[in-house]
């Protein structure tokens, strides 16, 4: 954003960042010049209706809201076709002219003029306020909106106060409509503010989003309805608007019914409503300016959604039990104060995650039609309640309001969860882990086994035969692979299975590759024979002593050991082979150790993690031990006598074993605060969580780790470092949401970064949010300094 810098102290107090002041002030003034004239219009509307028609017939006035649907359809077409600057300015000038016209129409003293004016006032507020919030949604990302909504909304509340006070002190008994000239003048000024603001936003954003996006599709009312109907999140927003509108209608009738019966108010209703509304909005203004933004930043959207209905629940219930003027003023006061402050701000924030095209269509249906239709639905329900014995009753309407508010609170719970999912929809993965990319390709392990087999065919026919048998026994020797290897086998001649054969063919030698699996049972029986085991052990002893064979013989022994039972004699020689000086022998010995999973081999495998040539094989072998080795490997993590590099490799091994035992072992090491190992442990825990989202991680340990990580991230002053905090917090939140959020925070666009922070803000507990979010905000916006 560009513009003159706000005085720094004021800007900080209002949550403004450098360059935001100019646009924020224009939004503030624009909203002020909408709500000030509406406060005048509304006070005259309520007073004239009660004076000329009566409170008993208020439901019929509420019912006219359905006619707003026709106006909405026309306005939707205009909004899709006209440039935003022209539409905003034209709308304000139209309502200015019609306000002046109603000044003269009231002189006719006809009831239908009062009813027409009520309808016009409803169209006035729905069109102009919806246009304002459209502009806010287009101009700001979710983090900006949450910071600025308190200041922007306070402009509207301050306008309501000014308009209410003007009506309260200037309205003459019997002639309140004279103030419509003042309302018209304010609307003309509002047109000038809207013209300047729309031009400024068009210059910043390039194309006019209201005209370019919407005009491409020319959505009508039916299109808007279908958009809401087909989206579960938008359906929840629609249900919220419907319930809130019905409750507001009930509360409006409750308060007006009691006020109409109060002699003090009847003397000059327009003046009473003006002063009363101004007093309420003064409180709302202070709340909006001083508390709404801070409340949203501090507690988040979900608690904010609950405040308004909870307060109405108390006040409406009190009115139902004790229908006196005090409760009437309280319930109407709560309705006004909170609906124009935190409720309006929270509802608009709910639209931020919605895609621009959907948002445009949804707001046409929800804000410009459904909000008005809710009034009509409320009117219909009121008329039904009036049919009950005893006629219109404040107590009955209050009781009905309480039931509806309970449903509203339950809906808000669902909506809070849905908002988090909607924010997540804007977060796309920026990279995949290397092992995930490799692991996703079927047959990679088999391909490696075939390569190893082919590499061994010239070194040793026995070694080659062992490779083929292993492929067949593991079910990886497909007909295609068998056909390929058959040609290789034919070129080499007979393939002995045992290193003892010395080239001599025996009746149990393996058949061609295609038939190896069929012979598996026979081969297993031979390998298990005690006589064969003793012969093989004797041969292994001579090879290891150097009496016979050489490196190739040791390679054959190491490979053959992996095909034996873990308790076999040859398997007992495996630890000697793990210490062999030949890297190739160690390669096969480590591979066999992973297959046999003998606990006795673990120390030797751990030692091999220090050898750059063998550490990859050793890590893979230990990973095959699975969760059973988690405790032992966890002990190594805590052993300060073990080299730091080896412990880092052990953490990586545990990352490949997704289990609760693994998670617990890593958490134990994390809680021990082993210097230099923290990041490796966080990475390992994140990988385990990614593979097994259902695992449980001790929140107390995670919170302690977060405390330490906040200091490291802040000291590094690097945005990329923030990813470690996202990984840690992800352990407390199921799914991949925070993983993607962290990637978007590090490498995403400004909008993606904002959505990443918004998701974090939405899911974090309050104490962690206060510590983490400010640090990440500073790293994301280093230009703001401390």
């Amino acid at each position: 954003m560009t513009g003159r810098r706000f005085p720094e102290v004021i800007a900080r107090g209002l949550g403004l960042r450098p360059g935001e002041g100019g646009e924020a002030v224009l939004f503030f003034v624009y909203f002020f010049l909408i709500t000030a004239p509406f406060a005048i219009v509304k006070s005259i509307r309520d007073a004239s209706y009660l004076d000329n028609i009566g409170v008993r017939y208020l439901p019929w006035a509420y019912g006219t809201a359905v006619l707003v649907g026709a106006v909405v359809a026309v306005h939707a077409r205009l909004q899709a076709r006209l440039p935003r600057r022209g539409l905003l300015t034209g709308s304000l000038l139209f309502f200015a002219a019609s306000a002046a016209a109603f000044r003269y129409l009231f002189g006719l003293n006809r009831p239908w003029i009062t009813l027409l004016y009520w309808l016009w006032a409803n169209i006035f507020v729905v069109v102009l306020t919806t246009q304002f919030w459209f502009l806010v949604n287009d101009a700001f990302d979710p983090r900006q909106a949450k910071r600025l909504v308190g200041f922007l909304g306070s402009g509207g509340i301050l306008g309501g106060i000014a308009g209410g006070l003007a009506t309260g002190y200037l309205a003459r008994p019997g002639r309140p409509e004279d103030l419509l000239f003042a309302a018209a003048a304010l609307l003309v000024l509002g047109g000038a503010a809207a013209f300047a603001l729309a031009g400024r936003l068009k210059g910043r954003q390039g194309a006019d989003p209201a005209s370019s996006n919407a005009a491409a599709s020319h959505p009508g009312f039916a299109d808007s309805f279908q958009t809401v109907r087909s989206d579960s999140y938008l359906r929840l927003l629609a249900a919220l608007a419907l319930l809130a509108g019905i409750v507001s209608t009930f509360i409006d009738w409750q308060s007006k019914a009691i006020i109409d019966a109060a002699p003090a108010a009847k003397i000059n209703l327009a003046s009473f409503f003006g002063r009363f509304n101004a007093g309420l909005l003064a409180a709302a203004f202070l709340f909006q300016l001083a508390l709404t933004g801070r409340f949203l930043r501090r507690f988040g959207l979900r608690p904010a959604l609950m405040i308004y209905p909870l307060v109405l629940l108390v006040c409406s219930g009190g009115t139902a039990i004790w229908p006196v003027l005090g409760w009437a003023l309280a319930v109407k006061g709560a309705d006004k104060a909170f609906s124009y402050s935190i409720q309006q701000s929270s509802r608009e924030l709910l639209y931020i995650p919605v895609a621009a095209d959907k948002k445009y269509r949804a707001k046409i249906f929800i804000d410009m039609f459904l909000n008005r239709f809710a009034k009509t639905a409320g009117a219909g329900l009121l008329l039904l309640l009036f049919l009950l014995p005893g006629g219109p009753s404040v107590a009955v309407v209050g009781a009905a309001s309480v039931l509806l508010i309970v449903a509203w609170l339950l809906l808000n719970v669902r909506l809070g969860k849905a908002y988090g999912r909607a924010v997540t929809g804007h977060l796309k993965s920026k990279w995949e882990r290397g092992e995930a990319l490799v692991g996703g390709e079927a047959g990679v392990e088999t391909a490696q086994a075939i390569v190893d087999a082919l590499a061994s065919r010239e070194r040793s026919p026995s070694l080659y035969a062992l490779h083929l048998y292993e492929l067949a026994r593991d079910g990886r020797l497909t007909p295609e692979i068998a056909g390929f290897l058959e040609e290789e086998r034919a070129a080499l001649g007979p393939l002995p299975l045992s290193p003892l054969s010395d080239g001599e063919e025996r009746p149990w030698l393996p058949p061609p590759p295609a038939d190896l699996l069929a012979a598996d049972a026979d081969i297993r029986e031979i390998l298990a024979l005690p006589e064969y085991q003793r012969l093989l052990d004797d041969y292994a002893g001579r090879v290891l002593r150097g009496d016979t064979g050489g490196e190739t013989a040791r390679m054959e022994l190491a490979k053959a050991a992996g095909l034996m039972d873990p308790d076999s004699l040859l398997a007992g020689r495996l630890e000697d082979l793990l210490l062999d000086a030949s890297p190739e022998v160690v390669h096969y010995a480590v591979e066999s150790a992973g297959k046999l999973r003998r606990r006795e081999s673990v120390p030797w495998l751990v030692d091999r993690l220090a050898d750059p040539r063998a550490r990859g094989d050793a890590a893979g072998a230990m990973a095959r031990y699975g969760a059973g080795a988690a405790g032992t490997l966890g002990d190594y993590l805590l052993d300060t006598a073990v080299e730091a590099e080896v412990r880092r490799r052990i953490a990586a091994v545990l990352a490949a074993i997704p289990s609760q035992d693994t998670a617990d072992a890593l958490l134990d090491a994390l809680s021990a605060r082993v210097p230099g190992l923290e990041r490796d442990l966080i990475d390992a825990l994140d990988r385990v969580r990614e593979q097994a989202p259902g695992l449980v991680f001790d929140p107390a340990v995670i919170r302690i780790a977060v405390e330490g990580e906040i200091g490291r991230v802040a000291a590094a002053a690097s945005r990329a470092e923030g990813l470690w905090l996202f990984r840690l917090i992800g352990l407390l939140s199921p799914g991949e949401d925070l993983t993607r959020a962290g990637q978007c925070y590090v490498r995403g666009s400004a909008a993606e970064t904002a959505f990443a922070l918004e998701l974090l803000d939405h899911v974090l507990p309050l104490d962690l949010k206060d510590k983490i979010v400010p640090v990440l905000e500073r790293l994301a916006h280093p230009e703001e300094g401390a």
Side-chain angles (χ1 to χ4, degrees):
M1 293 184 184
T2 60
R4 296 185 63 184
R5 185 179 179 86
F6 240 43
E8 188 171 347
V9 175
I10 298 176
R12 285 180 178 276
L14 297 177
L16 301 178
R17 287 178 173 164
E20 292 177 340
E23 285 179 11
V25 169
L26 274 175
F27 269 108
F28 182 95
V29 172
Y30 174 33
F31 205 17
F32 177 94
L33 293 172
I34 291 173
T35 57
F38 178 67
I40 297 172
V41 166
K42 184 178 180 182
S43 297
I44 296 172
R45 181 198 70 179
D46 294 345
S48 63
Y49 198 93
L50 293 179
D51 281 336
N52 299 332
I53 299 177
V55 69
R56 183 179 181 87
Y57 299 100
L58 267 176
W60 296 104
Y62 299 144
T64 62
V66 74
L67 299 176
V68 176
V71 178
V72 167
V74 174
H75 184 272
R77 294 292 180 180
L78 291 175
Q79 189 153 322
R81 288 168 170 79
L82 295 179
R84 176 156 54 187
R85 179 184 280 187
L87 181 65
L88 296 179
T89 307
S91 298
L92 286 156
L93 294 179
F94 166 78
F95 285 109
S98 52
F102 268 109
R103 161 63 184 82
Y104 293 105
L105 288 175
F106 270 115
L108 300 177
N109 293 319
R110 294 288 188 272
W112 64 268
I113 296 294
T114 300
L115 194 58
L116 180 64
Y117 180 78
W118 183 287
L119 176 61
W120 173 84
N122 286 345
I123 295 171
F124 175 113
V125 68
V126 71
V127 169
L128 296 187
T129 56
T130 300
Q131 286 179 345
F132 172 81
W133 288 112
F134 258 130
L135 213 57
V136 171
N137 274 271
D138 283 342
F140 303 113
D141 65 43
R143 302 302 295 168
Q144 288 176 303
K146 187 172 282 188
R147 281 188 295 101
L148 299 176
V149 72
F151 175 64
L152 304 183
S154 64
I157 297 175
L158 192 60
I161 294 171
L165 288 175
T167 308
Y169 286 104
L170 300 178
R172 294 185 294 169
R175 294 291 300 275
E177 61 272 12
D178 289 342
L179 290 175
L180 288 174
F181 283 136
L186 290 170
L187 289 169
V188 171
L189 293 175
F195 186 85
L197 183 57
R200 188 184 186 103
L201 291 178
K202 184 177 180 181
R204 169 161 65 87
Q205 298 172 342
D208 185 344
S211 59
S212 60
N213 292 343
S217 56
H218 297 300
F221 180 79
D223 297 321
S224 301
F225 169 73
Q226 185 58 35
T227 297
V228 174
R229 180 176 175 271
S230 61
D231 188 289
S232 59
Y233 181 65
L234 293 178
R235 289 198 301 271
L236 288 174
L237 290 179
L240 172 64
L242 187 62
L243 268 176
I246 294 173
V247 171
S248 180
T249 303
F250 280 23
I251 286 173
D252 189 64
W253 184 89
Q254 282 180 275
S255 61
K256 283 186 171 66
I258 297 173
I259 291 170
D260 187 59
K266 288 286 288 183
I267 297 172
N268 187 348
L269 280 174
S271 176
F272 173 82
F273 281 124
R275 297 185 188 197
F276 175 59
N277 291 337
L280 296 176
L281 290 174
F285 171 73
L286 294 175
F287 188 88
Q288 177 77 358
L289 186 62
L291 298 177
T292 295
R294 287 184 174 86
F295 186 94
L296 285 167
R297 292 193 299 272
R298 175 97 167 89
F299 298 102
L301 189 58
R302 277 184 283 197
L305 288 171
M306 294 296 188
I307 290 179
Y308 180 48
L310 284 172
V311 173
L312 291 185
L313 182 67
V314 173
C315 294
S316 187
T319 305
I321 297 170
W322 192 16
V324 296
L325 184 60
W327 272 116
L329 297 179
V331 70
K332 190 60 180 176
D335 186 30
K336 287 282 187 183
F338 289 98
S339 66
Y340 286 126
S341 56
I342 195 166
Q343 174 67 8
Q344 181 68 49
S345 300
S346 300
R347 283 182 60 178
E348 292 304 324
L349 287 175
L350 290 171
Y351 281 105
I352 296 292
V354 181
D357 57 335
K358 280 190 174 184
K359 183 192 308 180
Y360 170 76
R361 296 166 185 259
K363 288 182 78 69
I364 287 175
F365 177 73
I366 296 175
D367 290 8
M368 301 182 73
F369 170 74
L370 197 59
N371 278 340
R372 301 297 104 191
F373 175 78
K375 297 288 185 181
T376 303
L381 292 173
L382 279 174
L383 291 173
L384 290 176
L385 292 175
F386 290 175
L387 297 177
L388 295 175
S393 168
V394 171
V396 171
V397 173
S401 297
V402 168
L403 294 177
L404 290 171
I405 293 170
V406 171
W408 182 356
L409 289 167
L410 295 175
L411 176 65
N412 279 348
V413 173
R414 291 188 58 191
L415 197 50
K417 296 177 181 177
Y419 174 77
R421 293 192 295 270
V423 169
T424 302
H426 288 267
L427 305 174
K428 307 300 179 185
S429 294
K430 299 300 177 182
W431 66 82
E432 295 287 345
R433 296 189 192 277
E435 64 271 23
L437 293 172
V438 173
E441 298 182 20
V444 170
E445 187 177 348
T446 299
Q448 184 61 51
I450 294 171
V451 170
D452 288 346
L454 292 175
S456 68
R457 63 185 178 179
E458 295 181 4
R459 182 73 177 261
S460 164
S462 294
L463 194 58
Y464 183 45
L466 291 169
H467 274 291
L468 295 184
Y469 174 60
E470 182 183 44
L471 281 170
R473 194 176 71 172
D474 293 346
R476 293 181 287 168
L477 193 62
T478 65
E480 293 79 11
I481 295 174
F484 168 71
L485 293 177
E486 177 68 27
E487 300 176 7
E488 303 296 332
R489 179 191 183 282
L492 293 175
L495 297 178
L497 177 64
S498 168
L500 298 176
S501 63
D502 295 328
E504 180 182 352
E505 292 196 54
R506 299 174 184 269
W508 46 269
L509 290 178
D515 300 324
L516 274 172
L517 188 58
D520 180 45
D522 294 335
I523 295 174
R524 286 178 183 271
E525 184 179 348
I526 293 170
L527 295 177
L529 290 173
E531 296 81 2
Y532 182 81
Q533 291 284 333
R534 285 192 295 272
L535 286 172
L536 192 56
D537 183 62
D538 178 67
Y539 174 76
R542 287 186 285 116
V543 169
L544 291 174
R545 288 192 302 271
D547 297 341
T548 187
E551 181 185 46
T552 299
R554 298 198 305 278
M555 291 168 62
E556 293 169 351
L557 283 174
K559 182 67 177 178
L563 301 175
M564 302 296 174
D565 186 86
D567 297 325
S568 66
L569 295 174
L570 182 58
R573 301 278 188 178
L574 196 56
E575 284 70 41
D576 295 326
L577 292 166
L578 285 168
L579 295 175
D580 199 276
S582 167
E584 293 184 86
V585 173
V586 172
H587 167 75
Y588 285 114
V590 168
E591 180 186 83
S592 294
K595 294 172 185 175
L596 298 179
R597 299 191 289 277
R598 287 165 49 91
R599 295 186 65 86
E600 296 87 346
S601 300
V602 172
W604 280 267
L605 290 175
V606 170
D607 288 342
R608 286 301 175 181
L609 290 175
D611 183 355
R613 297 170 300 176
R615 64 174 47 137
D617 291 332
M622 285 191 289
R624 297 189 68 165
Y625 275 72
T632 301
L633 294 177
D635 292 339
Y636 279 102
L637 282 177
L638 296 171
D639 188 351
T640 55
V642 178
E643 293 181 27
E645 179 61 28
V646 171
R647 283 188 286 169
R648 281 194 286 272
R649 298 289 173 177
I650 290 173
V653 169
L654 288 170
I657 308 173
S659 71
Q660 190 62 58
D661 289 338
T662 301
D664 293 341
L666 289 168
L667 285 171
D668 287 342
L670 189 64
S671 64
R673 302 185 183 184
V674 182
L677 198 61
E678 297 92 341
R679 292 283 175 85
D680 299 276
L681 294 172
I682 294 171
D683 182 66
L685 285 164
D686 183 44
R687 291 168 187 264
V688 169
R689 176 204 57 78
E690 189 176 274
Q691 298 170 79
L695 298 181
V696 178
F697 301 90
D698 187 348
V701 175
I702 302 302
R703 285 171 177 270
I704 293 172
V706 165
E707 297 280 354
E709 199 59 37
I710 289 173
R712 282 188 287 273
V713 170
S718 168
R719 185 164 162 177
E721 294 293 308
L723 182 61
W724 294 101
L725 281 172
F726 278 93
R727 286 180 170 178
L728 264 177
I729 298 303
L731 301 175
L732 302 177
S733 178
E736 296 297 314
D737 299 349
L738 288 176
T739 297
R740 281 186 284 162
Q743 293 178 359
C744 287
Y745 174 79
V746 172
R747 293 189 185 175
S749 64
E752 287 176 316
T753 299
F755 278 113
L757 289 171
E758 178 63 16
L759 178 64
L760 200 63
D761 186 86
H762 189 67
V763 302
L764 279 175
L766 184 60
D767 58 330
L768 291 181
K769 178 167 65 177
D770 289 343
K771 297 173 182 176
I772 294 174
V773 174
V775 171
L776 296 178
E777 288 269 22
R778 285 196 296 273
L779 293 178
H781 302 281
E783 71 280 359
E784 295 174 22

